[in-house]
Amino acid sequence: MVALAAMLPVAAGLVGILAPAFGHLPALGHRGVSLAPFAALFAAPGIATSVLLSAATGLAATALGVGLTMLLLAASYGGRSLVVAERLLAPILSVPHAAAAAGFVFLFAPTGFVLRLLSPWPSGLEAPPDIALVGDPYGIALVLALAMKETPFLFMMALVALSQVEAAGRVGVARSLGYGRMAAFLHAAWPLVYRQMRLPVLAVLAFAASVVDVVMILGPRQPAPLGGRIVTWLQAADLDGWFLGSAGAVAMMGLVLLLVGLWRAGEAVAGRAAARLRLGGRRWRRDRVARVAVLGFGAVAVAAMAVSFAGLMLQSVAGYWPFPDVLPATVGLAVWQRRLAMAAATLGDTLTIALAATAAALPLAVVLVEAARRGGVSTRLVYVPLIVPQVAFLFGLDVLAIRAGLTPGLGAVILAHMVFALPYQVIALAGPWQALDPRFEAVAASLGAGPVRRFVTVRLAMMTASLLVTAAVSVAVSVGLYLPTQMIGAGRVATVTTEAVAAATGGDRRLLGLYATLQLVIPLLAFAVARWVPALLWRRRRGMRPVRWAA
Amino acid sequence: MLRFDEFAVALGGRTLVRLDGTVAAGKVLAVMGPSGAGKSSLLKAVAGLIGPPFVVSGRVLVGEEDITRLPVEARGVGLMFQDALLFPHMSVVGNVMFAVPRRVARSRGARREVAMGHLGRVAMAHLAEADPATLSGGERSRVALARTLAGAPRVLLLDEPFAALDQALKARTRDIVFRLAAEDGLPVVMVSHDPADAEAARAQVVEIRPCQEGEGS
């Protein structure tokens, strides 16, 4: 039931977008069915390029993310580095897409940090080069930034999957048969892990193909990928734009379905190639160099992210900062002083939305994972809002909400955020929830505790840490949401993320630095609370220390 | 021949197991004792699958080669557990082909032939293309044995390999394992808590007891 309820807004949104896509918008006096919006869509300049860009960047970013996840896991499995990676995961995951994209620009733009480090020596540059290192027409920067952002998510999903398959014994068998560490993992465990994480992979694919905020910060323009153009059309606030945007949203839905089909076909081909390799029996025993290289790359990537976030904070206080200088000539709090009042109001709204959506969705998530634990209910349906592209159903939802008499505002945005908070909560909670030994409750029952009492005093109490982490994940997701805030709030609700994107597209780097800093700080605080509250609560209970997936 | 030279596994300063002596080709050393006594830790230590906080001391030699410090993949030990741990994403024959070393056979056809030979030895050739998940417990154990032997190990390590089987099946599976190990001239170390396992193998028996706090450190 709850799972169905989670799907409902998506279904409603899709219905809401279908009507205007075929020229039916009775509220504005347009009735009947016509193909005119699609004709206009196909006639839009550069539309083929936009569609190709969406498809290619989506597939490439997903393939890169999955490949990196696979190699990082193979290189770290069974070693100390996996424990380190797991500790770093939560803070990295909590970084909103827009902030990650802004960090990428800070590092790799023509005036970015990397070129400043290399200039004037050894690059020989005195002025920033006149090439599109970010926002390139091929979407290369977009693919790299998306892969960098999605790899930690995929890595976490892989760790969850790893805890569900009997990997350790099988990898041990493969190694005892003479396979090197990476080969043993890739042959004996990865196919099982991948099968468990297929839905999150498809969610990444759909997201990457239809992403909007990252495109606005560092994607190609003229033409932009399809997702970005749909939003531009829909926000034009004229009738033609709405029809065009709706047709585009339906086309996006079709494109994502097509990409999912392509991806599945690719999976089949890769699976067959892997099976051939397994039967060939090559041992790949000398893999130390490969392992060190992969782990080194991972370490450099994490360090680069950390540098870029520090850089964004620095950017918010930077004064005069001419090109080859690594650090700004002057620093000052001018932007912070000028914008503090407004930023404080935005921050307040951001927190209100995040906390309200989290608090409202959490009981539903608990009901869902408990139902799944008792069997019969699958949590797969909650992935629907993550796999259906956001641009495809949010506008429809907006149209329906207006017809239902809901005014765009904080309340509507909170409801929209719930749609996305819930699936991530279920993802975060499902593993630990299943892992708790059911015999604790059985013992409580045998001592005469009724169902409510044992659920609250045994299960919920023992799950305190996991519930808090789940809430932190949910807050991070909500803070990072761009499109749901922008579209359902009809531009009237601002969060640190919508402001960061606006500052980025407006080219105001100091303001971007300020909002990106706020974007980074909120989720980090949430995770800090999630870690320290249980530590304080259970400081005299060694058995309540957090269980690690990778241990 | 497998030789233990003051080989010991310790945890937190406590010696769990200590072994000295040799196991000749085709002979079985049965390590008996209640659960929790450190039997499995001993096998993992021989296989190289154990790390901190366990501390391994002494030496274990295969023939004249000291394998104590080698990584798992270089030791040439065949492992069998209570769970067959077949790879669920490969067919029965695929599981065995995965184990065939490339020095034994390179081409796909040749590897398949070797694998089929091992399946024949455990009377499983007729189910070569089957999905491992459809096999019975006894069949799974036999495929696991074929896979282990296909890896051309120098030593066979058995960790309660028959514990999940019922009495009749246990006796049959046990006979196949010890017969084939003897055929291949493999020294066998078996961990078990069932005295019948040791009798059936006509094994040398080492009893270990759970160590008491502070003993042997």
Side-chain angles (χ1 to χ4, degrees):
Chain A
M1 267 307 288
V2 178
L4 278 177
M7 265 186 63
L8 205 63
V10 180
L14 287 178
V15 172
I17 202 98
L18 270 176
F22 290 99
H24 184 71
L25 203 58
L28 294 168
H30 278 256
R31 288 175 187 282
V33 175
S34 95
L35 288 174
F38 283 97
L41 176 70
F42 293 129
I47 189 72
T49 315
S50 291
V51 170
L52 267 179
L53 269 174
S54 285
T57 52
L59 287 172
T62 311
L64 205 56
V66 170
L68 274 175
T69 302
M70 179 178 88
L71 289 177
L72 282 169
L73 208 53
S76 60
Y77 185 76
R80 220 160 255 266
S81 43
L82 189 57
V83 181
V84 177
E86 215 204 313
R87 294 238 167 114
L88 287 171
L89 216 56
I92 295 178
L93 262 176
S94 69
V95 174
H97 279 90
F104 192 89
V105 172
F106 172 82
L107 288 179
F108 299 113
T111 57
F113 193 69
V114 170
L115 268 184
R116 283 171 190 270
L117 277 181
L118 296 175
S119 302
W121 185 88
S123 77
L125 292 169
E126 297 288 343
D130 189 19
I131 39 172
L133 287 177
V134 298
D136 59 292
Y138 304 105
I140 295 167
L142 178 61
V143 167
L144 294 177
L146 280 171
M148 181 179 94
K149 171 63 192 143
E150 297 300 348
T151 302
F153 172 68
L154 290 170
F155 195 87
M156 186 189 81
M157 297 319 294
L159 283 183
V160 173
L162 201 52
S163 68
Q164 291 165 352
V165 297
E166 262 182 281
R170 293 199 169 89
V171 173
V173 166
R175 285 191 68 191
S176 76
L177 289 171
Y179 286 86
R181 284 177 61 164
M182 286 182 84
F185 177 85
L186 292 175
H187 282 321
W190 176 253
L192 309 176
V193 168
Y194 182 79
R195 204 153 44 178
Q196 293 282 323
M197 61 182 278
R198 191 176 273 145
L199 275 175
V201 169
L202 293 182
V204 166
L205 176 64
F207 182 86
S210 64
V211 64
V212 174
D213 50 354
V214 180
V215 166
M216 288 173 74
I217 295 173
L218 50 65
R221 280 152 223 218
Q222 316 288 339
L226 189 57
R229 295 190 72 180
I230 293 170
V231 172
T232 315
W233 289 326
L234 288 178
Q235 288 184 338
D238 60 45
L239 213 50
D240 287 341
W242 283 359
F243 284 130
L244 200 53
S246 300
V250 171
M252 176 58 93
M253 190 64 214
L255 178 66
V256 166
L257 282 177
L258 184 75
L259 291 181
V260 168
L262 272 176
W263 184 264
R264 297 301 299 261
E267 272 175 8
V269 171
R272 216 161 298 151
R276 285 180 67 98
L277 270 180
R278 284 196 290 270
L279 298 182
R282 250 177 233 288
R283 259 48 175 182
W284 307 104
R285 203 180 288 171
R286 259 167 279 176
D287 63 0
R288 178 178 286 271
V289 175
R291 270 200 339 266
V292 171
V294 169
L295 291 178
F297 176 81
V300 168
V302 171
M305 270 188 247
V307 167
S308 78
F309 301 145
L312 286 173
M313 294 178 195
L314 182 63
Q315 201 166 277
S316 72
V317 295
Y320 181 57
W321 196 355
F323 171 65
D325 293 4
V326 171
L327 293 174
T330 58
V331 292
L333 288 170
V335 182
W336 286 89
Q337 282 161 353
R338 204 158 7 98
R339 302 282 185 157
L340 198 61
M342 225 176 86
T346 306
L347 192 59
D349 281 355
T350 309
L351 285 174
T352 308
I353 294 166
L355 293 177
T358 297
L362 198 53
L364 300 179
V366 166
V367 169
L368 257 173
V369 292
E370 176 65 10
R373 187 181 68 92
R374 293 186 184 174
V377 187
S378 161
T379 54
R380 285 165 159 248
L381 277 181
V382 302
Y383 277 95
V384 169
L386 304 188
I387 291 179
V388 177
Q390 295 179 6
V391 279
F393 72 92
L394 280 173
F395 180 68
L397 208 55
D398 202 20
V399 171
L400 290 184
I402 291 168
R403 273 182 64 180
L406 275 171
T407 42
L410 226 47
V413 171
I414 289 170
L415 285 176
H417 278 220
M418 274 178 71
V419 174
F420 299 95
L422 182 62
Y424 283 106
Q425 288 184 356
V426 170
I427 290 171
L429 196 53
W433 199 268
Q434 293 276 359
L436 184 70
D437 194 331
R439 289 175 303 179
F440 285 118
E441 278 157 293
V443 169
S446 74
L447 294 172
V452 175
R453 188 171 154 219
R454 59 179 189 259
F455 184 75
V456 174
T457 61
V458 178
R459 181 162 280 274
L460 283 185
M462 292 186 76
M463 286 279 117
T464 311
S466 301
L467 286 167
L468 283 167
V469 169
T470 302
V473 168
S474 167
V475 165
V477 165
S478 166
V479 168
L481 285 177
Y482 172 73
L483 210 51
T485 317
Q486 188 71 11
M487 292 193 79
I488 301 296
R492 280 181 237 170
V493 177
T495 65
V496 289
T497 294
T498 58
E499 292 297 304
V501 173
T505 49
D508 188 339
R509 286 199 194 169
R510 286 183 193 92
L511 197 57
L512 170 62
L514 185 153
Y515 280 114
T517 304
L518 293 178
Q519 269 193 306
L520 292 167
V521 167
I522 303 171
L524 272 182
L525 279 180
F527 276 101
V529 169
R531 179 166 282 192
W532 290 114
V533 166
L536 212 63
L537 213 53
W538 307 120
R539 64 190 179 283
R540 286 154 192 267
R541 298 286 180 270
R542 206 146 56 112
M544 291 299 291
R545 288 205 187 139
V547 185
R548 310 220 151 265
W549 291 309
Chain B
M1 191 184 70
L2 179 68
R3 184 150 64 90
F4 295 102
D5 181 9
E6 309 220 319
F7 188 73
V9 183
L11 175 64
R14 243 169 10 116
T15 303
L16 299 175
V17 206
R18 188 190 294 278
L19 265 186
D20 247 315
T22 60
V23 187
K27 297 293 181 203
V28 179
L29 172 72
V31 181
M32 314 287 292
S35 49
K39 293 175 307 210
S40 294
S41 306
L42 171 75
L43 273 202
K44 282 186 181 152
V46 178
L49 284 170
I50 213 168
F54 290 92
V55 177
V56 177
S57 59
R59 298 191 305 161
V60 54
L61 299 95
V62 176
E64 290 306 307
E65 188 189 358
D66 182 354
I67 63 165
T68 323
R69 305 275 165 251
L70 292 181
V72 195
E73 55 267 29
R75 292 194 184 202
V77 292
L79 286 175
M80 277 185 75
F81 301 100
Q82 176 177 338
D83 303 313
L85 289 175
L86 298 180
F87 300 118
H89 51 301
M90 308 179 201
S91 67
V92 165
V93 69
N95 264 277
V96 183
M97 282 172 77
F98 182 72
V100 177
R102 286 178 66 81
R103 66 185 136 77
V104 173
R106 275 176 176 273
S107 79
R108 200 114 71 90
R111 297 176 61 78
R112 195 185 158 83
E113 214 165 291
V114 172
M116 288 305 290
H118 284 287
L119 282 176
R121 296 175 79 195
V122 299
M124 285 297 295
H126 60 295
L127 287 173
E129 296 308 328
D131 174 356
T134 62
L135 303 183
S136 72
E139 290 170 335
R140 255 178 253 170
S141 294
R142 273 144 61 200
V143 174
L145 175 64
R147 181 176 68 181
T148 307
L149 295 178
R154 300 184 290 177
V155 180
L156 193 57
L157 305 177
L158 310 176
D159 189 358
E160 303 265 9
F162 317 118
L165 305 176
D166 64 52
Q167 287 305 325
L169 208 52
K170 198 171 187 172
R172 282 206 342 251
T173 312
R174 201 157 52 194
D175 287 346
I176 299 177
V177 171
F178 295 131
R179 181 167 52 79
L180 295 186
E183 263 180 41
D184 288 6
L186 296 173
V188 180
V189 179
M190 171 177 66
V191 151
S192 170
H193 60 259
D194 183 353
D197 286 347
E199 267 167 50
R202 284 185 290 281
Q204 282 173 266
V205 175
V206 180
E207 288 275 356
I208 58 172
R209 276 173 293 276
C211 294
Q212 270 129 41
E213 209 74 52
E215 183 196 316
S217 58

